[in-house]
Amino acid sequence: VAYSPDGATLSVGCGRCVALLAVASPDGSVRRSYELLAVCHGHRGAVTHLSWSCDSVWLRSNCDARELRHWDASGSLGAAVPASDLADVPWATSLGGGGVLYGQDTAGAHGGSGACGSSVTDAGVTAAARSHGESDTLLAVGDKHQALRLLPYPCLTSDAELLGAAAAEGVVGARHGGH
C-alpha cells in the first residue's frame, strides 16, 4: 500500500495486480473516500512492493516472482510502460517507505556476498533502504542468508564494493534514520 506523493492516489497490491484508487477528502475532513480508478494486471506473482515517482505520474511494483513492472498512473490509467522509458525518472518512495526491492538502482544488491562474506548468486533480498540527506549514497540490504550488507547507492552491479556487513537473522525491514 502506498499513497502518491501528492496524496491524490492510493496504490494497493492485490494478489497479482495493483489497484489505483482516487482519494477524496470532502470539505477538508479527516475522513476520506476512495474511488477505483484502474486495475493494473501483469504480474506472475503476488505484489510485494510499490513505489511512486516524485511527480505522482508513474508507479512501479515488484512481486514475489521478482518482476519489476511500471505503470502509468495519470494519463493512460493502469497502462504498462517499458522500464527504459522511465530510466531517468526520480522515485519518491524508492527503497524504504514503500519502495521496490527489484529496480534499476538496486540491481547489484541481488548477487554478491551473503552472510559473513560467503558468495551467493541469489542474495534473497528481503529488505532494503537507502540513506537520505546530504549523503544519499548508501544502501542497507538485509537478506535470507542472515546478512545485513552496506553497499553504495545506486548499486548497479553485483561487484559493487561491500562497505560493511554483519550477521543478522530474519531481516524483514530496513530504514535509515534521518540526520
Side-chain angles (χ1 to χ4, degrees), residues 107-151:
H110 298 282
S113 301
C116 302
S118 63
S119 179
V120 294
T121 54
D122 172 14
V125 173
T126 57
R130 72 169 195 204
S131 60
H132 294 284
E134 289 181 30
S135 178
D136 187 17
T137 59
L138 301 174
L139 176 65
V141 178
D143 64 41
K144 68 181 181 183
H145 302 285
Q146 300 181 355
L148 180 62
R149 297 176 289 145
L150 189 60
L151 301 164

PDB file of all heavy atoms in Angstrom, residues 107-151:
ATOM      1  N   ALA A 107      19.919  -3.196  -8.654  1.00  0.00           N
ATOM      2  CA  ALA A 107      20.190  -4.456  -9.361  1.00  0.00           C
ATOM      3  C   ALA A 107      21.394  -5.194  -8.803  1.00  0.00           C
ATOM      4  O   ALA A 107      21.386  -6.427  -8.703  1.00  0.00           O
ATOM      5  CB  ALA A 107      20.373  -4.178 -10.851  1.00  0.00           C
ATOM      6  N   GLY A 108      22.436  -4.494  -8.417  1.00  0.00           N
ATOM      7  CA  GLY A 108      23.649  -5.135  -7.908  1.00  0.00           C
ATOM      8  C   GLY A 108      23.508  -5.750  -6.537  1.00  0.00           C
ATOM      9  O   GLY A 108      24.340  -6.558  -6.122  1.00  0.00           O
ATOM     10  N   ALA A 109      22.469  -5.411  -5.803  1.00  0.00           N
ATOM     11  CA  ALA A 109      22.288  -5.951  -4.452  1.00  0.00           C
ATOM     12  C   ALA A 109      21.770  -7.381  -4.460  1.00  0.00           C
ATOM     13  O   ALA A 109      21.761  -8.042  -3.429  1.00  0.00           O
ATOM     14  CB  ALA A 109      21.321  -5.062  -3.665  1.00  0.00           C
ATOM     15  N   HIS A 110      21.377  -7.882  -5.614  1.00  0.00           N
ATOM     16  CA  HIS A 110      20.744  -9.206  -5.673  1.00  0.00           C
ATOM     17  C   HIS A 110      21.711 -10.335  -5.978  1.00  0.00           C
ATOM     18  O   HIS A 110      21.315 -11.470  -6.164  1.00  0.00           O
ATOM     19  CB  HIS A 110      19.586  -9.176  -6.677  1.00  0.00           C
ATOM     20  CG  HIS A 110      18.539  -8.218  -6.245  1.00  0.00           C
ATOM     21  ND1 HIS A 110      17.630  -8.518  -5.270  1.00  0.00           N
ATOM     22  CD2 HIS A 110      18.308  -6.936  -6.599  1.00  0.00           C
ATOM     23  CE1 HIS A 110      16.850  -7.471  -5.062  1.00  0.00           C
ATOM     24  NE2 HIS A 110      17.246  -6.499  -5.846  1.00  0.00           N
ATOM     25  N   GLY A 111      22.984 -10.068  -5.986  1.00  0.00           N
ATOM     26  CA  GLY A 111      24.034 -11.078  -6.131  1.00  0.00           C
ATOM     27  C   GLY A 111      25.215 -10.596  -5.324  1.00  0.00           C
ATOM     28  O   GLY A 111      25.196  -9.514  -4.780  1.00  0.00           O
ATOM     29  N   GLY A 112      26.239 -11.401  -5.192  1.00  0.00           N
ATOM     30  CA  GLY A 112      27.430 -10.952  -4.473  1.00  0.00           C
ATOM     31  C   GLY A 112      27.646 -11.707  -3.187  1.00  0.00           C
ATOM     32  O   GLY A 112      27.592 -12.922  -3.177  1.00  0.00           O
ATOM     33  N   SER A 113      27.874 -11.012  -2.082  1.00  0.00           N
ATOM     34  CA  SER A 113      28.249 -11.652  -0.830  1.00  0.00           C
ATOM     35  C   SER A 113      27.063 -11.867   0.089  1.00  0.00           C
ATOM     36  O   SER A 113      26.234 -10.999   0.270  1.00  0.00           O
ATOM     37  CB  SER A 113      29.275 -10.783  -0.097  1.00  0.00           C
ATOM     38  OG  SER A 113      30.407 -10.610  -0.896  1.00  0.00           O
ATOM     39  N   GLY A 114      27.011 -13.052   0.682  1.00  0.00           N
ATOM     40  CA  GLY A 114      25.976 -13.380   1.657  1.00  0.00           C
ATOM     41  C   GLY A 114      26.507 -13.160   3.062  1.00  0.00           C
ATOM     42  O   GLY A 114      27.389 -12.340   3.285  1.00  0.00           O
ATOM     43  N   ALA A 115      25.995 -13.934   4.004  1.00  0.00           N
ATOM     44  CA  ALA A 115      26.397 -13.797   5.401  1.00  0.00           C
ATOM     45  C   ALA A 115      27.897 -13.979   5.550  1.00  0.00           C
ATOM     46  O   ALA A 115      28.479 -14.902   4.986  1.00  0.00           O
ATOM     47  CB  ALA A 115      25.656 -14.814   6.258  1.00  0.00           C
ATOM     48  N   CYS A 116      28.526 -13.105   6.265  1.00  0.00           N
ATOM     49  CA  CYS A 116      29.954 -13.161   6.582  1.00  0.00           C
ATOM     50  C   CYS A 116      30.822 -13.306   5.345  1.00  0.00           C
ATOM     51  O   CYS A 116      31.835 -13.995   5.350  1.00  0.00           O
ATOM     52  CB  CYS A 116      30.218 -14.287   7.581  1.00  0.00           C
ATOM     53  SG  CYS A 116      29.272 -14.089   9.101  1.00  0.00           S
ATOM     54  N   GLY A 117      30.394 -12.717   4.208  1.00  0.00           N
ATOM     55  CA  GLY A 117      31.213 -12.691   3.014  1.00  0.00           C
ATOM     56  C   GLY A 117      31.086 -13.888   2.094  1.00  0.00           C
ATOM     57  O   GLY A 117      31.782 -13.966   1.098  1.00  0.00           O
ATOM     58  N   SER A 118      30.219 -14.867   2.391  1.00  0.00           N
ATOM     59  CA  SER A 118      30.083 -16.014   1.501  1.00  0.00           C
ATOM     60  C   SER A 118      29.469 -15.563   0.183  1.00  0.00           C
ATOM     61  O   SER A 118      28.673 -14.634   0.140  1.00  0.00           O
ATOM     62  CB  SER A 118      29.210 -17.090   2.145  1.00  0.00           C
ATOM     63  OG  SER A 118      27.908 -16.606   2.363  1.00  0.00           O
ATOM     64  N   SER A 119      29.844 -16.218  -0.911  1.00  0.00           N
ATOM     65  CA  SER A 119      29.361 -15.844  -2.227  1.00  0.00           C
ATOM     66  C   SER A 119      28.008 -16.477  -2.500  1.00  0.00           C
ATOM     67  O   SER A 119      27.796 -17.649  -2.244  1.00  0.00           O
ATOM     68  CB  SER A 119      30.365 -16.296  -3.283  1.00  0.00           C
ATOM     69  OG  SER A 119      29.889 -15.965  -4.562  1.00  0.00           O
ATOM     70  N   VAL A 120      27.068 -15.688  -3.022  1.00  0.00           N
ATOM     71  CA  VAL A 120      25.747 -16.197  -3.371  1.00  0.00           C
ATOM     72  C   VAL A 120      25.358 -15.640  -4.736  1.00  0.00           C
ATOM     73  O   VAL A 120      25.742 -14.543  -5.100  1.00  0.00           O
ATOM     74  CB  VAL A 120      24.667 -15.797  -2.331  1.00  0.00           C
ATOM     75  CG1 VAL A 120      24.926 -16.447  -1.003  1.00  0.00           C
ATOM     76  CG2 VAL A 120      24.573 -14.301  -2.167  1.00  0.00           C
ATOM     77  N   THR A 121      24.625 -16.433  -5.515  1.00  0.00           N
ATOM     78  CA  THR A 121      24.158 -15.932  -6.802  1.00  0.00           C
ATOM     79  C   THR A 121      22.782 -15.313  -6.671  1.00  0.00           C
ATOM     80  O   THR A 121      22.380 -14.492  -7.462  1.00  0.00           O
ATOM     81  CB  THR A 121      24.116 -17.060  -7.848  1.00  0.00           C
ATOM     82  OG1 THR A 121      23.330 -18.125  -7.324  1.00  0.00           O
ATOM     83  CG2 THR A 121      25.520 -17.552  -8.151  1.00  0.00           C
ATOM     84  N   ASP A 122      22.020 -15.713  -5.653  1.00  0.00           N
ATOM     85  CA  ASP A 122      20.716 -15.121  -5.366  1.00  0.00           C
ATOM     86  C   ASP A 122      20.750 -14.652  -3.928  1.00  0.00           C
ATOM     87  O   ASP A 122      20.648 -15.450  -3.006  1.00  0.00           O
ATOM     88  CB  ASP A 122      19.593 -16.145  -5.560  1.00  0.00           C
ATOM     89  CG  ASP A 122      18.242 -15.627  -5.082  1.00  0.00           C
ATOM     90  OD1 ASP A 122      18.120 -14.413  -4.856  1.00  0.00           O
ATOM     91  OD2 ASP A 122      17.323 -16.434  -4.927  1.00  0.00           O
ATOM     92  N   ALA A 123      20.940 -13.357  -3.727  1.00  0.00           N
ATOM     93  CA  ALA A 123      21.080 -12.839  -2.373  1.00  0.00           C
ATOM     94  C   ALA A 123      19.790 -12.947  -1.572  1.00  0.00           C
ATOM     95  O   ALA A 123      19.809 -12.837  -0.364  1.00  0.00           O
ATOM     96  CB  ALA A 123      21.550 -11.386  -2.408  1.00  0.00           C
ATOM     97  N   GLY A 124      18.649 -13.157  -2.215  1.00  0.00           N
ATOM     98  CA  GLY A 124      17.396 -13.293  -1.481  1.00  0.00           C
ATOM     99  C   GLY A 124      17.075 -12.057  -0.665  1.00  0.00           C
ATOM    100  O   GLY A 124      16.736 -12.146   0.513  1.00  0.00           O
ATOM    101  N   VAL A 125      17.177 -10.890  -1.279  1.00  0.00           N
ATOM    102  CA  VAL A 125      16.954  -9.629  -0.575  1.00  0.00           C
ATOM    103  C   VAL A 125      15.537  -9.596  -0.004  1.00  0.00           C
ATOM    104  O   VAL A 125      14.565  -9.852  -0.701  1.00  0.00           O
ATOM    105  CB  VAL A 125      17.181  -8.426  -1.513  1.00  0.00           C
ATOM    106  CG1 VAL A 125      16.786  -7.126  -0.854  1.00  0.00           C
ATOM    107  CG2 VAL A 125      18.638  -8.384  -1.956  1.00  0.00           C
ATOM    108  N   THR A 126      15.438  -9.314   1.285  1.00  0.00           N
ATOM    109  CA  THR A 126      14.142  -9.230   1.956  1.00  0.00           C
ATOM    110  C   THR A 126      13.821  -7.822   2.428  1.00  0.00           C
ATOM    111  O   THR A 126      12.672  -7.521   2.732  1.00  0.00           O
ATOM    112  CB  THR A 126      14.107 -10.175   3.177  1.00  0.00           C
ATOM    113  OG1 THR A 126      15.191  -9.842   4.055  1.00  0.00           O
ATOM    114  CG2 THR A 126      14.228 -11.625   2.746  1.00  0.00           C
ATOM    115  N   ALA A 127      14.830  -6.965   2.500  1.00  0.00           N
ATOM    116  CA  ALA A 127      14.613  -5.585   2.948  1.00  0.00           C
ATOM    117  C   ALA A 127      15.743  -4.712   2.417  1.00  0.00           C
ATOM    118  O   ALA A 127      16.867  -5.172   2.268  1.00  0.00           O
ATOM    119  CB  ALA A 127      14.581  -5.519   4.475  1.00  0.00           C
ATOM    120  N   ALA A 128      15.415  -3.465   2.123  1.00  0.00           N
ATOM    121  CA  ALA A 128      16.435  -2.533   1.645  1.00  0.00           C
ATOM    122  C   ALA A 128      16.015  -1.114   1.979  1.00  0.00           C
ATOM    123  O   ALA A 128      14.827  -0.807   2.025  1.00  0.00           O
ATOM    124  CB  ALA A 128      16.628  -2.679   0.135  1.00  0.00           C
ATOM    125  N   ALA A 129      16.999  -0.262   2.227  1.00  0.00           N
ATOM    126  CA  ALA A 129      16.735   1.162   2.466  1.00  0.00           C
ATOM    127  C   ALA A 129      17.958   1.948   2.045  1.00  0.00           C
ATOM    128  O   ALA A 129      19.087   1.508   2.239  1.00  0.00           O
ATOM    129  CB  ALA A 129      16.431   1.410   3.942  1.00  0.00           C
ATOM    130  N   ARG A 130      17.726   3.100   1.444  1.00  0.00           N
ATOM    131  CA  ARG A 130      18.847   3.956   1.093  1.00  0.00           C
ATOM    132  C   ARG A 130      18.925   5.105   2.082  1.00  0.00           C
ATOM    133  O   ARG A 130      17.934   5.481   2.711  1.00  0.00           O
ATOM    134  CB  ARG A 130      18.730   4.466  -0.330  1.00  0.00           C
ATOM    135  CG  ARG A 130      17.665   5.488  -0.492  1.00  0.00           C
ATOM    136  CD  ARG A 130      17.752   6.159  -1.846  1.00  0.00           C
ATOM    137  NE  ARG A 130      16.919   7.342  -1.750  1.00  0.00           N
ATOM    138  CZ  ARG A 130      16.362   7.935  -2.759  1.00  0.00           C
ATOM    139  NH1 ARG A 130      16.555   7.497  -3.961  1.00  0.00           N
ATOM    140  NH2 ARG A 130      15.618   8.998  -2.593  1.00  0.00           N
ATOM    141  N   SER A 131      20.120   5.673   2.197  1.00  0.00           N
ATOM    142  CA  SER A 131      20.303   6.816   3.081  1.00  0.00           C
ATOM    143  C   SER A 131      19.691   8.051   2.432  1.00  0.00           C
ATOM    144  O   SER A 131      19.496   8.102   1.222  1.00  0.00           O
ATOM    145  CB  SER A 131      21.787   7.028   3.369  1.00  0.00           C
ATOM    146  OG  SER A 131      22.490   7.259   2.162  1.00  0.00           O
ATOM    147  N   HIS A 132      19.392   9.044   3.246  1.00  0.00           N
ATOM    148  CA  HIS A 132      18.818  10.298   2.756  1.00  0.00           C
ATOM    149  C   HIS A 132      19.617  11.459   3.309  1.00  0.00           C
ATOM    150  O   HIS A 132      20.431  11.301   4.194  1.00  0.00           O
ATOM    151  CB  HIS A 132      17.346  10.420   3.195  1.00  0.00           C
ATOM    152  CG  HIS A 132      16.477   9.384   2.567  1.00  0.00           C
ATOM    153  ND1 HIS A 132      16.057   9.442   1.270  1.00  0.00           N
ATOM    154  CD2 HIS A 132      15.983   8.227   3.063  1.00  0.00           C
ATOM    155  CE1 HIS A 132      15.321   8.398   0.982  1.00  0.00           C
ATOM    156  NE2 HIS A 132      15.259   7.630   2.055  1.00  0.00           N
ATOM    157  N   GLY A 133      19.364  12.623   2.787  1.00  0.00           N
ATOM    158  CA  GLY A 133      20.042  13.815   3.271  1.00  0.00           C
ATOM    159  C   GLY A 133      21.270  14.121   2.442  1.00  0.00           C
ATOM    160  O   GLY A 133      21.358  13.772   1.264  1.00  0.00           O
ATOM    161  N   GLU A 134      22.265  14.744   3.068  1.00  0.00           N
ATOM    162  CA  GLU A 134      23.469  15.169   2.360  1.00  0.00           C
ATOM    163  C   GLU A 134      24.226  13.992   1.758  1.00  0.00           C
ATOM    164  O   GLU A 134      24.816  14.099   0.704  1.00  0.00           O
ATOM    165  CB  GLU A 134      24.393  15.946   3.306  1.00  0.00           C
ATOM    166  CG  GLU A 134      23.862  17.315   3.671  1.00  0.00           C
ATOM    167  CD  GLU A 134      24.813  18.052   4.598  1.00  0.00           C
ATOM    168  OE1 GLU A 134      26.031  17.826   4.522  1.00  0.00           O
ATOM    169  OE2 GLU A 134      24.318  18.847   5.400  1.00  0.00           O
ATOM    170  N   SER A 135      24.221  12.866   2.460  1.00  0.00           N
ATOM    171  CA  SER A 135      24.962  11.698   1.994  1.00  0.00           C
ATOM    172  C   SER A 135      23.986  10.621   1.533  1.00  0.00           C
ATOM    173  O   SER A 135      23.804   9.609   2.177  1.00  0.00           O
ATOM    174  CB  SER A 135      25.850  11.154   3.120  1.00  0.00           C
ATOM    175  OG  SER A 135      26.521  10.009   2.662  1.00  0.00           O
ATOM    176  N   ASP A 136      23.364  10.858   0.380  1.00  0.00           N
ATOM    177  CA  ASP A 136      22.380   9.926  -0.180  1.00  0.00           C
ATOM    178  C   ASP A 136      23.100   8.881  -1.028  1.00  0.00           C
ATOM    179  O   ASP A 136      22.799   8.679  -2.187  1.00  0.00           O
ATOM    180  CB  ASP A 136      21.357  10.705  -1.020  1.00  0.00           C
ATOM    181  CG  ASP A 136      20.207   9.836  -1.484  1.00  0.00           C
ATOM    182  OD1 ASP A 136      20.012   8.743  -0.931  1.00  0.00           O
ATOM    183  OD2 ASP A 136      19.512  10.249  -2.419  1.00  0.00           O
ATOM    184  N   THR A 137      24.105   8.209  -0.432  1.00  0.00           N
ATOM    185  CA  THR A 137      24.960   7.324  -1.214  1.00  0.00           C
ATOM    186  C   THR A 137      25.078   5.918  -0.635  1.00  0.00           C
ATOM    187  O   THR A 137      25.931   5.151  -1.068  1.00  0.00           O
ATOM    188  CB  THR A 137      26.372   7.918  -1.324  1.00  0.00           C
ATOM    189  OG1 THR A 137      26.904   8.078   0.003  1.00  0.00           O
ATOM    190  CG2 THR A 137      26.347   9.261  -2.038  1.00  0.00           C
ATOM    191  N   LEU A 138      24.255   5.555   0.340  1.00  0.00           N
ATOM    192  CA  LEU A 138      24.369   4.252   0.976  1.00  0.00           C
ATOM    193  C   LEU A 138      23.095   3.435   0.798  1.00  0.00           C
ATOM    194  O   LEU A 138      21.993   3.966   0.815  1.00  0.00           O
ATOM    195  CB  LEU A 138      24.659   4.407   2.471  1.00  0.00           C
ATOM    196  CG  LEU A 138      25.931   5.161   2.829  1.00  0.00           C
ATOM    197  CD1 LEU A 138      26.007   5.351   4.337  1.00  0.00           C
ATOM    198  CD2 LEU A 138      27.156   4.430   2.310  1.00  0.00           C
ATOM    199  N   LEU A 139      23.266   2.117   0.675  1.00  0.00           N
ATOM    200  CA  LEU A 139      22.156   1.188   0.558  1.00  0.00           C
ATOM    201  C   LEU A 139      22.356   0.092   1.594  1.00  0.00           C
ATOM    202  O   LEU A 139      23.367  -0.617   1.567  1.00  0.00           O
ATOM    203  CB  LEU A 139      22.131   0.582  -0.855  1.00  0.00           C
ATOM    204  CG  LEU A 139      21.091  -0.492  -1.137  1.00  0.00           C
ATOM    205  CD1 LEU A 139      19.683   0.100  -1.043  1.00  0.00           C
ATOM    206  CD2 LEU A 139      21.317  -1.093  -2.518  1.00  0.00           C
ATOM    207  N   ALA A 140      21.413  -0.029   2.525  1.00  0.00           N
ATOM    208  CA  ALA A 140      21.438  -1.114   3.512  1.00  0.00           C
ATOM    209  C   ALA A 140      20.520  -2.218   3.001  1.00  0.00           C
ATOM    210  O   ALA A 140      19.386  -1.949   2.601  1.00  0.00           O
ATOM    211  CB  ALA A 140      20.950  -0.613   4.866  1.00  0.00           C
ATOM    212  N   VAL A 141      21.025  -3.462   2.987  1.00  0.00           N
ATOM    213  CA  VAL A 141      20.286  -4.583   2.423  1.00  0.00           C
ATOM    214  C   VAL A 141      20.303  -5.749   3.398  1.00  0.00           C
ATOM    215  O   VAL A 141      21.371  -6.167   3.860  1.00  0.00           O
ATOM    216  CB  VAL A 141      20.912  -5.035   1.084  1.00  0.00           C
ATOM    217  CG1 VAL A 141      20.177  -6.232   0.516  1.00  0.00           C
ATOM    218  CG2 VAL A 141      20.932  -3.897   0.089  1.00  0.00           C
ATOM    219  N   GLY A 142      19.123  -6.278   3.723  1.00  0.00           N
ATOM    220  CA  GLY A 142      19.007  -7.492   4.524  1.00  0.00           C
ATOM    221  C   GLY A 142      18.589  -8.621   3.606  1.00  0.00           C
ATOM    222  O   GLY A 142      17.875  -8.401   2.629  1.00  0.00           O
ATOM    223  N   ASP A 143      19.042  -9.859   3.908  1.00  0.00           N
ATOM    224  CA  ASP A 143      18.699 -10.959   3.018  1.00  0.00           C
ATOM    225  C   ASP A 143      18.400 -12.252   3.764  1.00  0.00           C
ATOM    226  O   ASP A 143      18.595 -12.347   4.970  1.00  0.00           O
ATOM    227  CB  ASP A 143      19.781 -11.165   1.962  1.00  0.00           C
ATOM    228  CG  ASP A 143      21.127 -11.585   2.527  1.00  0.00           C
ATOM    229  OD1 ASP A 143      21.164 -12.425   3.454  1.00  0.00           O
ATOM    230  OD2 ASP A 143      22.145 -11.081   2.035  1.00  0.00           O
ATOM    231  N   LYS A 144      17.935 -13.246   3.008  1.00  0.00           N
ATOM    232  CA  LYS A 144      17.544 -14.531   3.583  1.00  0.00           C
ATOM    233  C   LYS A 144      18.739 -15.361   4.039  1.00  0.00           C
ATOM    234  O   LYS A 144      18.575 -16.389   4.672  1.00  0.00           O
ATOM    235  CB  LYS A 144      16.711 -15.319   2.577  1.00  0.00           C
ATOM    236  CG  LYS A 144      17.476 -15.795   1.354  1.00  0.00           C
ATOM    237  CD  LYS A 144      16.584 -16.543   0.394  1.00  0.00           C
ATOM    238  CE  LYS A 144      17.370 -17.044  -0.813  1.00  0.00           C
ATOM    239  NZ  LYS A 144      16.501 -17.705  -1.776  1.00  0.00           N
ATOM    240  N   HIS A 145      19.939 -14.919   3.730  1.00  0.00           N
ATOM    241  CA  HIS A 145      21.157 -15.625   4.132  1.00  0.00           C
ATOM    242  C   HIS A 145      21.705 -15.093   5.454  1.00  0.00           C
ATOM    243  O   HIS A 145      22.872 -15.295   5.760  1.00  0.00           O
ATOM    244  CB  HIS A 145      22.214 -15.514   3.023  1.00  0.00           C
ATOM    245  CG  HIS A 145      21.758 -16.065   1.720  1.00  0.00           C
ATOM    246  ND1 HIS A 145      21.661 -17.410   1.474  1.00  0.00           N
ATOM    247  CD2 HIS A 145      21.322 -15.442   0.607  1.00  0.00           C
ATOM    248  CE1 HIS A 145      21.202 -17.609   0.248  1.00  0.00           C
ATOM    249  NE2 HIS A 145      20.985 -16.421  -0.301  1.00  0.00           N
ATOM    250  N   GLN A 146      20.876 -14.413   6.201  1.00  0.00           N
ATOM    251  CA  GLN A 146      21.203 -13.864   7.510  1.00  0.00           C
ATOM    252  C   GLN A 146      22.336 -12.848   7.453  1.00  0.00           C
ATOM    253  O   GLN A 146      23.238 -12.842   8.281  1.00  0.00           O
ATOM    254  CB  GLN A 146      21.534 -14.982   8.505  1.00  0.00           C
ATOM    255  CG  GLN A 146      20.377 -15.938   8.689  1.00  0.00           C
ATOM    256  CD  GLN A 146      20.678 -17.028   9.680  1.00  0.00           C
ATOM    257  OE1 GLN A 146      21.784 -17.154  10.179  1.00  0.00           O
ATOM    258  NE2 GLN A 146      19.667 -17.813   9.996  1.00  0.00           N
ATOM    259  N   ALA A 147      22.278 -11.999   6.450  1.00  0.00           N
ATOM    260  CA  ALA A 147      23.293 -10.960   6.314  1.00  0.00           C
ATOM    261  C   ALA A 147      22.641  -9.588   6.198  1.00  0.00           C
ATOM    262  O   ALA A 147      21.577  -9.447   5.624  1.00  0.00           O
ATOM    263  CB  ALA A 147      24.155 -11.217   5.077  1.00  0.00           C
ATOM    264  N   LEU A 148      23.286  -8.617   6.766  1.00  0.00           N
ATOM    265  CA  LEU A 148      22.941  -7.218   6.591  1.00  0.00           C
ATOM    266  C   LEU A 148      24.160  -6.597   5.926  1.00  0.00           C
ATOM    267  O   LEU A 148      25.270  -6.661   6.460  1.00  0.00           O
ATOM    268  CB  LEU A 148      22.651  -6.550   7.935  1.00  0.00           C
ATOM    269  CG  LEU A 148      22.273  -5.084   7.887  1.00  0.00           C
ATOM    270  CD1 LEU A 148      20.974  -4.892   7.098  1.00  0.00           C
ATOM    271  CD2 LEU A 148      22.107  -4.526   9.281  1.00  0.00           C
ATOM    272  N   ARG A 149      23.976  -6.050   4.711  1.00  0.00           N
ATOM    273  CA  ARG A 149      25.099  -5.500   3.949  1.00  0.00           C
ATOM    274  C   ARG A 149      24.912  -4.007   3.738  1.00  0.00           C
ATOM    275  O   ARG A 149      23.792  -3.535   3.591  1.00  0.00           O
ATOM    276  CB  ARG A 149      25.213  -6.196   2.588  1.00  0.00           C
ATOM    277  CG  ARG A 149      25.510  -7.679   2.692  1.00  0.00           C
ATOM    278  CD  ARG A 149      25.518  -8.361   1.337  1.00  0.00           C
ATOM    279  NE  ARG A 149      24.153  -8.428   0.820  1.00  0.00           N
ATOM    280  CZ  ARG A 149      23.834  -8.312  -0.472  1.00  0.00           C
ATOM    281  NH1 ARG A 149      24.753  -8.105  -1.378  1.00  0.00           N
ATOM    282  NH2 ARG A 149      22.578  -8.401  -0.862  1.00  0.00           N
ATOM    283  N   LEU A 150      26.007  -3.285   3.702  1.00  0.00           N
ATOM    284  CA  LEU A 150      26.021  -1.860   3.388  1.00  0.00           C
ATOM    285  C   LEU A 150      26.750  -1.714   2.060  1.00  0.00           C
ATOM    286  O   LEU A 150      27.921  -2.093   1.928  1.00  0.00           O
ATOM    287  CB  LEU A 150      26.725  -1.069   4.491  1.00  0.00           C
ATOM    288  CG  LEU A 150      26.638   0.441   4.405  1.00  0.00           C
ATOM    289  CD1 LEU A 150      25.178   0.896   4.450  1.00  0.00           C
ATOM    290  CD2 LEU A 150      27.410   1.084   5.541  1.00  0.00           C
ATOM    291  N   LEU A 151      26.046  -1.197   1.052  1.00  0.00           N
ATOM    292  CA  LEU A 151      26.558  -1.070  -0.307  1.00  0.00           C
ATOM    293  C   LEU A 151      26.449   0.384  -0.773  1.00  0.00           C
ATOM    294  O   LEU A 151      25.690   1.157  -0.196  1.00  0.00           O
ATOM    295  CB  LEU A 151      25.740  -1.963  -1.249  1.00  0.00           C
ATOM    296  CG  LEU A 151      25.735  -3.454  -0.930  1.00  0.00           C
ATOM    297  CD1 LEU A 151      24.602  -4.158  -1.682  1.00  0.00           C
ATOM    298  CD2 LEU A 151      27.071  -4.064  -1.281  1.00  0.00           C
TER     299      LEU A 151
END
